[in-house]
Amino acid sequence: MVQETYRVLPGPEAYLAPAAAMMGVMPPDSGSAIVEGSVVSEDEAIAVIARKLADAKNPAVCPGPLLIWQWDDGVSAKAAAVRELAEACGAKILPMIDYSARRIRTDMEISPNHPNVTILQNDIDVCLFAGVHSHYANYALRLIRARTDCYTIVLGDYSASEDAMASLRDINVDKINAITEKIKSLKRG
Amino acid sequence: MSKKIITPVKEFEEFLTPEYKELIANGPYNRDKPTTVDDLGTFYEMTGPHPHCAGCGVSLAIRLGLASLPAPEDTIVIGTPGCSYFALTQSTLNYSCTAFGNQNSVASGLKRMLKVRHPDKQKDVLVMVGDGGVADIGLDNTLHSWFRGENIATVMLDNEVYGNTGGQESGMTTEGTVLNMAPTGKKFPKIPMFELAKTSGCVYAAKVTVASPKKVGETIRKAILVAREIGPTYVQVYGPCPTNLKFPPSKTIEAAKDGEKSYYKYEEYMTDGAKEYLNRSKA
């Protein structure tokens, strides 16, 4: 049953939170972003993301395979920008190295198969995914929403993740730097 | 791109786990010459800690197979539910588990897609599944992929039983074997998969056991190489199951050696085209 009023909010929501798409939340078109299930402008989303990261007690940045491995020439520049963003908000870096169901070190990494364990073990209140393929990101985000109260943010290479509480699409270095600058100015007060 | 997928960007390199750092520095990737079974013990393997039973023949076959891939960074392994899943999913390999029995159909589509996406690069698609996946539930998909002449290598990890579901007989269980869920013994002989492979379009086929580790590595490597250009290939590896065939875990190799005295006597078949291709590859 589609509920038009469904909002993508921090949990814990259920044993497994429903896919936001199933609840009627649509990913934004090019030029837009999404915050808590509503389509907003990119500037609004950037402001929300920066505020959440700046105010977080224990944020984490989770770079995924698209940002960890040198599969494309543009990866290094994006990785450097995300690293700077993490430093600006004092975030712990918990990489999502791959998507396999292997046993992971929950104090050092996160996996789409049981991301909630890493979030809970490290007491993360705001986490940001970047460079994670959407289908794995969405599954991980549902698990985090289901079993933790962590606020989730996704910077999508191509599309936004409707299962995140805030998400930007077509991410590039300029957009990442805009978030970083905003965080820095919020931190300065 | 292939070597780059296992090369980290410098910005996040320090955040990788020690195991991944070891894999990058001393694993089978990023090498000038591919590893072989002879190199085991000298490099960081792709098979990680896994939950197979002690003495599992299937896990040993997987370990030998993964150590012998001609191009691990360009290989995708397709599997199916069953015991083989446990070690393969814990590996650091591109692995996809399909619905039970669908593996050769998925592999066919994947190989065709990879040919289109990477026309100038060899991408190996290796099917690695148990006897139930190949000879029972996936028999139609397997045979049809061979009839169609798909460029994929199929490896059957034959433990002669459905191991992780309590011990049901499979088509590859030997006649008369008594199992937990076959208390009066199996009523018909092993399905002649090796013979079916030869008559169904496989250009290379081999029958080996884990008691001959070098042969396991060599035949799997040959199967992958020949499948690149000549046609479908098949390797049947016997990895007996101590848990369900009721022998001590320390006797797995002995059980496999016993197999070599009868059904699992080493056999290798290849067409002239496959032979010529392998000779060319060596040169």
Side-chain angles (χ1 to χ4, degrees):
Chain A
M1 188 179 69
V2 174
Q3 295 175 11
E4 286 179 9
T5 53
Y6 185 78
R7 293 186 70 210
V8 183
L9 296 170
E13 185 174 337
Y15 182 69
L16 179 60
M22 210 173 77
M23 305 304 285
V25 177
M26 297 298 286
D29 290 331
S30 180
S32 302
I34 196 163
V35 171
E36 296 176 4
S38 303
V39 174
V40 298
S41 71
E42 286 189 337
D43 288 343
E44 280 176 80
I46 286 170
V48 171
I49 291 168
R51 168 64 69 187
K52 287 287 176 188
L53 286 168
D55 289 350
K57 286 183 189 142
N58 189 22
V61 166
C62 307
L66 290 169
L67 213 52
I68 290 175
W69 306 108
Q70 287 180 5
W71 64 280
D72 190 54
D73 292 338
V75 177
S76 282
K78 269 189 203 171
V82 169
R83 178 88 194 258
E84 201 188 332
L85 184 154
E87 281 163 8
C89 61
K92 189 171 188 170
I93 291 180
L94 294 166
M96 190 180 282
I97 304 170
D98 62 22
Y99 304 131
S100 82
R102 69 190 164 80
R103 198 172 302 159
I104 66 157
R105 288 175 176 253
T106 48
D107 57 334
M108 293 184 73
E109 58 177 329
I110 192 164
S111 118
N113 306 296
H114 30 65
N116 49 314
V117 180
T118 296
I119 297 289
L120 291 172
Q121 181 167 330
N122 294 280
D123 202 17
I124 303 299
D125 58 345
V126 177
C127 77
L128 179 145
F129 284 11
V132 181
H133 289 88
S134 295
H135 48 296
Y136 285 105
N138 278 350
Y139 180 65
L141 294 163
R142 283 171 66 196
L143 277 173
I144 294 171
R145 210 163 80 233
R147 303 184 196 183
T148 78
D149 60 355
C150 180
Y151 194 92
T152 53
I153 298 163
V154 171
L155 307 184
D157 273 25
Y158 303 105
S159 62
S161 286
E162 68 278 7
D163 274 298
M165 279 128 227
S167 181
L168 283 168
R169 56 170 288 171
D170 304 317
I171 202 73
N172 54 34
V173 173
D174 291 342
K175 289 181 193 177
I176 300 168
N177 287 343
I179 300 170
T180 308
E181 289 310 314
K182 201 99 183 163
I183 292 170
K184 284 179 181 170
S185 75
L186 286 166
K187 289 269 189 191
R188 281 196 296 268
Chain B
M1 179 177 102
S2 44
K3 299 277 185 194
K4 288 183 177 176
I5 62 165
I6 194 71
T7 307
V9 295
K10 67 176 186 334
E11 287 77 9
F12 293 124
E13 192 170 5
E14 65 184 282
F15 298 101
L16 297 182
T17 57
E19 292 82 6
Y20 247 104
K21 285 179 184 164
E22 178 72 15
L23 181 76
I24 294 160
N26 196 26
Y29 303 104
N30 295 333
R31 280 172 180 255
D32 297 332
K33 198 169 155 249
T35 58
T36 66
V37 169
D38 285 337
D39 300 320
L40 281 171
T42 67
F43 68 98
Y44 190 86
E45 294 172 49
M46 284 185 284
T47 20
H50 56 69
H52 281 274
C53 306
C56 176
V58 165
S59 66
L60 177 54
I62 290 171
R63 187 179 174 208
L64 298 170
L66 296 195
S68 312
L69 302 176
E73 63 281 350
D74 286 311
T75 303
I76 296 180
V77 174
I78 304 297
T80 209
C83 289
S84 57
Y85 169 83
F86 298 126
L88 286 167
T89 196
Q90 298 293 328
S91 71
T92 51
L93 187 79
N94 288 314
Y95 173 68
S96 178
C97 185
T98 67
F100 212 149
N102 277 6
Q103 69 281 345
N104 281 55
S105 302
V106 172
S108 302
L110 198 55
K111 179 68 187 186
R112 291 181 188 197
M113 182 274 288
L114 288 168
K115 277 183 190 171
V116 174
R117 175 73 179 79
H118 302 280
D120 52 348
K121 184 94 195 156
Q122 279 295 351
K123 297 281 177 184
D124 299 325
V125 177
L126 170 67
V127 171
M128 218 175 204
V129 296
D131 42 312
V134 172
D136 291 347
I137 300 168
L139 181 63
D140 50 354
N141 290 296
T142 304
L143 290 178
H144 275 267
S145 74
W146 294 344
F147 295 147
R148 291 193 305 268
E150 302 287 350
N151 289 100
I152 53 176
T154 304
V155 175
M156 179 208 276
L157 305 161
D158 184 11
N159 62 354
E160 300 190 321
V161 63
Y162 286 91
N164 67 322
T165 47
Q168 294 81 9
E169 68 173 48
S170 83
M172 297 304 287
T173 305
T174 49
E175 189 171 8
T177 302
V178 172
L179 296 163
N180 289 348
M181 306 269 178
T184 57
K186 194 190 172 206
K187 307 290 185 213
F188 63 96
K190 277 172 91 81
I191 293 173
M193 280 308 298
F194 186 71
E195 286 68 28
L196 283 171
K198 290 193 283 186
T199 54
S200 303
C202 283
V203 293
Y204 176 88
K207 215 162 57 166
V208 284
T209 83
V210 290
S212 303
K214 275 192 184 183
K215 279 184 184 154
V216 174
E218 284 165 10
T219 51
I220 290 178
R221 181 185 296 257
K222 282 183 195 171
I224 294 170
L225 290 173
V226 171
R228 285 180 179 176
E229 288 191 17
I230 309 298
T233 56
Y234 176 64
V235 178
Q236 191 172 314
V237 188
Y238 181 43
C241 170
T243 304
N244 285 289
L245 300 179
K246 310 290 183 203
F247 60 82
S250 58
K251 304 283 183 195
T252 303
I253 300 300
E254 270 179 46
K257 271 185 187 155
D258 282 347
E260 288 183 356
K261 289 174 195 157
S262 51
Y263 178 86
Y264 268 102
K265 187 166 177 261
Y266 177 68
E267 276 186 73
E268 190 181 47
Y269 157 84
M270 65 181 97
T271 61
D272 291 341
K275 197 179 281 178
E276 193 194 320
Y277 180 77
L278 284 173
N279 287 337
R280 253 192 296 139
S281 304
K282 265 187 212 161

